[in-house]
């Protein structure tokens, strides 16, 4: 009986242990599930806090950031509505291939600016010789005036009233009337050239996109929508880009050195050679390629930024076709291809080699990569001493002295790296991948990296181009993308003009205002006339005088009714 009791006791003990184990396993599963949920929530919180900014585009977001993109259709230049016209039949999806903005000339949606009667007015009345009648040859007589009012802002808002005489032939019974064409490219809009110039400078120089400018105008009591601003930018850009961009490129090509760099950008409506739509988020979507001209003294001058839907080798080569000077770039293979197929002399960028060395030396305290980094630092330190002497000694002394100081450092580094590679091969050892890339970058491009030593205008790096590309990126990050290829072309063109102005020490707003006030009567294809309108080749006295007149403007005496600007002549 006693033995049986002991056997029952053991079975009961096993059952109890089994039960406890099952309960423990069950609880562990519950705990595991809870931990997985907590871990997922934590990851989600971290992702929301530290994730990269999403650039996924939805149709409603496109309307918010639609900058210089609207097609200039009938009424577009005078459309100042808050949003798309209410039309149930209209396709309002900007991503649709058939999307087309409809401009309906209803009074409520047409461009009208209501301004107070006491607003200062600047009256500009240009007297011109009476024209001759085309039909009978009789000198026409003045029968009236055409009045064009625009809004402008300097220190405060005011109106600029431009008056142009209207003539008719006395022998043709008034059937032949004429009004001389003005030089102002914005002669039928409510926005003054000086104000549009300020809008462009704010966007491409100060990084303020149009939707923010619209908000600022609204806070100041003025209704100028981004729809109107973008339509004006596209209209003016299309009018002048085909004439002014080629002569700007010619001026860049007159420079002895061009620093070049490129950066990806996003264009929503872009198609490849087969007609297939490119993905907006693709790295191969499109690019902005900057070419910064550098003068004999090593100072940046005329610059041009070009939109391209690819950066294939031939595309890069086409940008430097027939350029005989120096081109300094990073290690992109397209520039090496261009050097072989063009007539320019290629200079490499030592900073790019240093970056690869820094990547290889990250987290290390000794080794080949660390020693390379120290040697790069020594070269840059010595070059900095000579850059401080630039302009204080003759160009010949500068070139000879800099080369005598730096070339031994380059030769010593080259000999050392070749010995490192030789020893590794003899020992059958394999150099770490990043270190190998850094070594090969220097050895494979040694001639390009040391070529700058022979030219006064050049230095060891491509920082000039990178700095201007970085400025484009800062502006681009504010308006995120372009809708169409034409919008990208126009944006790059105005950025080129503004960058050239900054390099030449010219006020971009005054220059653009002068351009808009004087380009309307220049014929297409007259290259020298358009060249005379480039930054640095034209005097801005007319804009300076206009600013003085605006500063002295006063309200018109006896005016009691508010002004209504309609964007047309009356």
């Amino acid at each position: 009986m006693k033995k049986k009791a002991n056997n029952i006791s053991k079975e009961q003990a096993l059952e109890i242990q089994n039960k406890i184990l099952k309960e423990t396993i069950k609880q562990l599963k519950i705990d595991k599930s809870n931990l997985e949920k907590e871990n997922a929530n934590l990851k989600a919180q971290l992702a929301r806090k530290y994730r990269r900014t999403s650039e996924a585009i939805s149709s409603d977001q496109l309307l918010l950031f639609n900058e210089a993109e609207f097609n200039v259709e009938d009424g577009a230049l005078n459309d100042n509505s808050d949003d798309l016209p209410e039309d149930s039949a209209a396709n309002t999806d900007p991503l649709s291939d058939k999307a087309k903005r409809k401009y309906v000339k209803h009074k409520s949606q047409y461009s009208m600016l209501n301004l107070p009667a006491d607003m200062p007015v600047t009256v500009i009345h240009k007297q011109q010789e009476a024209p001759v009648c085309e039909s009978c040859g009789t000198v026409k007589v003045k029968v009236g005036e055409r009045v064009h009012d625009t809004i402008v802002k300097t220190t405060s808002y005011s109106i600029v009233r431009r008056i142009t005489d209207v003539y008719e032939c006395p022998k043709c019974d008034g059937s032949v009337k004429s009004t001389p064409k003005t030089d102002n490219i914005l002669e039928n809009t409510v926005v003054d050239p000086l104000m549009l110039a300020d809008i462009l400078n704010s966007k491409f120089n100060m990084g303020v996109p149009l939707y923010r400018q619209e908000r600022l105008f609204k806070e100041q009591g003025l209704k100028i929508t981004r729809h109107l601003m973008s339509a004006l930018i596209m209209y003016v850009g299309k009018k002048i880009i085909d004439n002014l961009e080629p002569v700007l490129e010619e001026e860049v090509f007159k420079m002895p050195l061009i620093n070049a760099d490129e950066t990806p950008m996003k264009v929503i409506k872009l198609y490849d050679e087969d007609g297939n739509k490119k993905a907006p988020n693709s790295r191969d979507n499109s690019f902005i390629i900057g070419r910064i001209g550098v003068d004999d003294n090593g100072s940046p001058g005329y610059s041009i930024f070009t939109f391209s839907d690819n950066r294939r080798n031939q595309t890069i080569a086409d940008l430097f076709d027939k350029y005989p000077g120096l081109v300094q770039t990073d290690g992109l293979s397209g520039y090496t291809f261009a050097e072989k197929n063009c007539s320019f002399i290629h200079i490499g960028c030592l900073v790019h080699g240093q970056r690869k060395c820094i990547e290889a030396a990250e987290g290390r305290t000794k080794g080949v990569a660390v020693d390379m980094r120290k040697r790069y630092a020594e070269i840059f330190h010595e070059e900095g001493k000579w850059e401080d002497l630039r302009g204080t000694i003759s160009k010949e002394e500068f070139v000879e002295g800099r080369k005598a100081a730096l070339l031994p450092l380059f030769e010593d580094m080259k000999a050392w790296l070749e010995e490192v590679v030789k020893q590794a091969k003899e020992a059958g050892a394999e150099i770490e991948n990043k270190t190998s890339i850094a070594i090969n970058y220097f050895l494979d491009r040694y001639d390009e990296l040391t070529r700058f030593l022979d030219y006064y205008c050049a230095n060891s790096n491509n920082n000039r181009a990178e700095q201007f590309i970085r400025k484009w990126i800062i502006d681009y990050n504010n308006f995120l993308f372009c809708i169409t290829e034409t919008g990208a072309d126009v944006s790059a063109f105005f950025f080129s003009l503004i960058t050239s102005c900054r390099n030449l020490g010219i006020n971009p707003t005054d220059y653009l205002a002068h351009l808009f006030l004087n380009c309307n009567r220049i014929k297409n294809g007259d290259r020298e006339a358009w060249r005379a309108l480039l930054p640095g080749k034209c005097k801005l006295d007319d804009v300076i005088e206009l600013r003085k007149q605006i500063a002295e403007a006063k309200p018109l005496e006896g005016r009691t009714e508010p002004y209504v600007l309609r964007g047309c002549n009356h």
Side-chain angles (χ1 to χ4, degrees):
M1 291 292 296
K2 192 172 182 180
K3 186 176 180 181
K4 185 177 180 181
N6 289 339
N7 290 338
I8 294 173
S9 179
K10 288 180 180 180
E11 291 175 355
Q12 289 177 345
L14 290 173
E15 289 178 1
I16 293 172
Q17 290 177 0
N18 189 33
K19 186 176 180 180
I20 293 173
L21 288 173
K22 288 181 179 180
E23 292 178 354
T24 302
I25 292 173
K26 184 178 180 180
Q27 186 61 41
L28 288 172
K29 289 181 178 180
I30 295 174
D31 293 342
K32 179 183 178 182
S33 177
N34 292 335
L35 287 172
E36 288 176 348
K37 291 180 181 179
E38 291 179 4
N39 189 38
N41 291 334
L42 180 60
K43 286 183 177 180
Q45 293 176 8
L46 292 174
R48 284 192 295 269
K49 187 174 183 180
Y50 299 109
R51 68 184 174 184
R52 295 177 62 184
T53 303
S54 173
E55 294 186 352
I57 306 301
S58 61
S59 59
D60 56 340
Q61 288 175 317
L62 288 177
L63 290 178
L64 176 62
F65 295 104
N66 200 346
E67 297 282 322
E69 301 299 328
F70 288 134
N71 292 325
V72 186
E73 304 171 18
D74 292 338
L77 295 183
N78 294 318
D79 179 55
N80 200 27
S81 56
D82 291 319
D83 211 331
L84 292 173
E86 294 182 3
D87 187 349
S88 59
N91 183 359
T92 58
D93 180 10
L95 285 179
S96 171
D97 295 337
K98 299 181 180 180
K100 185 176 182 181
R101 182 179 174 85
K102 293 189 175 181
Y103 293 95
V104 185
K105 295 185 179 181
H106 296 311
K107 184 177 180 180
S108 61
Q109 295 178 344
Y110 210 61
S111 171
M112 291 196 303
L113 290 179
N114 297 307
L115 304 174
D118 59 350
M119 180 166 283
V121 178
T122 301
V123 179
I124 301 175
H125 188 179
K126 289 187 177 181
Q127 302 291 340
Q128 298 179 345
E129 294 184 2
V132 177
C133 179
E134 296 84 359
S135 299
C136 63
T138 305
V139 177
K140 295 182 179 181
V141 296
K142 179 179 176 180
V143 295
E145 295 176 341
R146 185 184 70 176
V147 179
H148 177 213
D149 291 344
T150 58
I151 184 70
V152 69
K153 181 183 179 183
T154 51
T155 55
S156 60
Y157 290 109
S158 63
I159 295 172
V160 176
R161 170 165 290 182
R162 292 181 172 84
I163 301 175
T164 307
D165 296 333
V166 178
Y167 297 88
E168 74 175 15
C169 180
K171 294 184 178 181
C172 296
D173 300 327
S175 59
V176 182
K177 288 187 178 181
S178 67
T179 303
K181 186 177 181 180
T182 67
D183 295 329
N184 179 8
I185 197 172
L186 297 175
E187 59 181 351
N188 294 319
T189 69
V190 298
V191 176
D192 194 80
L194 187 57
M195 190 166 188
L196 180 61
D198 187 60
I199 290 170
L200 283 164
N201 185 57
S202 296
K203 177 176 179 179
F204 293 111
N205 193 20
M206 303 302 178
V208 185
L210 298 186
Y211 72 92
R212 291 184 190 170
Q213 295 191 52
E214 177 186 9
R215 190 183 307 164
L216 291 173
F217 285 133
K218 186 176 181 180
E219 291 174 353
Q220 296 165 357
L222 192 65
K223 182 184 176 182
I224 297 182
T225 66
R226 64 185 181 276
H227 300 153
L228 176 60
M229 289 185 281
S230 64
L232 289 173
I233 292 172
M234 289 294 290
Y235 169 76
V236 173
K238 288 180 177 180
K239 283 278 188 178
I240 64 179
I241 187 172
D242 291 337
N243 290 291
L244 202 59
E245 190 175 46
V247 294
L248 176 60
E249 185 178 50
E250 289 178 2
E251 294 302 315
V252 174
F253 275 24
K254 291 179 181 179
M255 298 284 189
L257 169 65
I258 293 178
N259 286 101
D261 198 12
E262 72 292 325
T263 186
M265 71 171 297
K266 184 183 298 182
V267 176
I268 303 302
K269 293 183 178 180
L270 192 65
Y271 302 88
D272 59 22
E273 297 175 349
D274 298 326
N276 301 317
K277 192 171 183 179
K278 288 187 176 182
N281 292 325
S282 170
R283 286 185 58 85
D284 298 326
N285 180 265
S286 53
F287 302 87
I288 287 291
I289 303 172
R291 290 169 287 171
I292 316 301
V294 180
D295 62 20
D296 291 325
N297 296 319
S299 301
Y302 288 106
S303 305
I304 186 167
F305 293 79
T306 306
F307 165 76
S308 175
D309 62 357
N310 67 82
R311 57 175 180 180
R312 291 190 289 266
N313 292 345
Q314 189 57 51
T315 301
I316 299 293
D318 291 342
L319 292 175
F320 297 96
D321 187 31
K322 298 179 181 179
Y323 176 64
L326 308 170
V327 176
Q328 188 168 29
T329 70
D330 56 20
L332 185 68
S333 60
Y335 297 113
T336 304
F337 174 85
E339 180 186 17
K340 297 177 181 178
N341 293 273
C342 300
S343 56
F344 66 81
I345 299 173
H346 190 209
I347 299 178
C349 176
L350 201 64
V351 169
H352 279 76
Q354 184 194 39
R355 289 173 186 166
K356 297 183 183 302
C357 173
I358 291 174
E359 292 175 2
E362 186 176 0
R364 302 172 184 268
T365 58
K366 58 182 180 178
V368 175
V370 175
D371 292 339
M372 282 183 67
R373 186 175 60 185
K374 293 178 181 179
R375 289 174 181 265
Y376 272 116
E378 185 179 0
I379 292 174
F380 287 126
H381 178 71
E382 189 65 30
E383 183 191 12
K385 293 179 181 180
W386 284 93
E387 285 297 322
D388 293 339
L389 297 175
R390 186 183 289 273
T392 63
I393 58 177
S394 68
K395 294 181 180 180
E396 293 76 13
E397 291 176 332
F398 180 88
V399 172
E400 292 176 2
R402 183 179 63 176
K403 188 171 184 178
L406 294 182
L407 187 57
L409 298 178
F410 278 99
E411 292 175 342
D412 183 54
M413 185 171 176
K414 179 185 179 184
W416 170 65
L417 288 177
E418 288 176 342
E419 183 63 26
V420 169
V421 174
K422 179 181 177 182
Q423 291 178 3
K425 288 183 178 179
E426 291 176 351
E430 192 172 310
I431 302 176
E432 191 267 335
N433 185 46
K434 289 186 177 180
T435 303
S436 178
I437 292 174
I439 293 174
N440 291 335
Y441 186 94
F442 184 86
L443 294 178
D444 294 345
R445 295 174 174 82
Y446 179 79
D447 292 338
E448 297 173 6
L449 295 176
T450 57
R451 201 167 284 157
F452 78 95
L453 295 172
D454 296 324
Y455 302 96
Y456 179 80
C457 60
N459 56 29
S460 66
N461 58 73
N462 195 38
N463 286 351
R464 292 189 191 96
E466 291 193 357
Q467 288 168 359
F468 289 108
I469 284 291
R470 189 177 298 114
K471 174 61 179 169
W472 164 266
I473 294 172
I474 292 173
D475 294 340
Y476 171 74
N477 284 340
N478 284 302
F479 57 86
L480 296 182
F481 54 83
C482 291
I483 303 293
T484 64
E485 184 174 347
T486 304
D489 284 331
V490 170
S491 297
F493 171 67
F494 281 119
F495 188 76
S496 301
L497 293 179
I498 290 174
T499 300
S500 297
C501 287
R502 292 172 58 217
N503 292 345
L504 298 172
I506 298 171
N507 186 314
T509 301
D510 287 355
Y511 166 73
L512 290 173
H514 174 81
L515 175 63
F516 300 155
L517 285 167
N518 292 277
C519 69
N520 200 35
R521 287 198 292 187
I522 299 180
K523 296 180 180 179
N524 293 332
D526 190 348
R527 299 181 78 88
E528 295 309 313
W530 283 101
R531 191 187 308 278
L533 286 179
L534 286 174
K537 296 186 179 295
C538 55
K539 295 183 178 180
L540 308 181
D541 296 342
D542 56 341
V543 179
I544 295 173
E545 181 62 27
L546 176 60
R547 286 188 180 276
K548 290 181 180 179
Q549 294 178 351
I550 293 173
E552 298 171 355
K554 296 180 180 180
L556 295 180
E557 294 183 5
R559 179 84 184 196
T560 57
E561 297 181 359
Y563 294 93
V564 180
L565 276 60
R566 294 184 174 85
C568 57
N569 303 305
H570 60 279

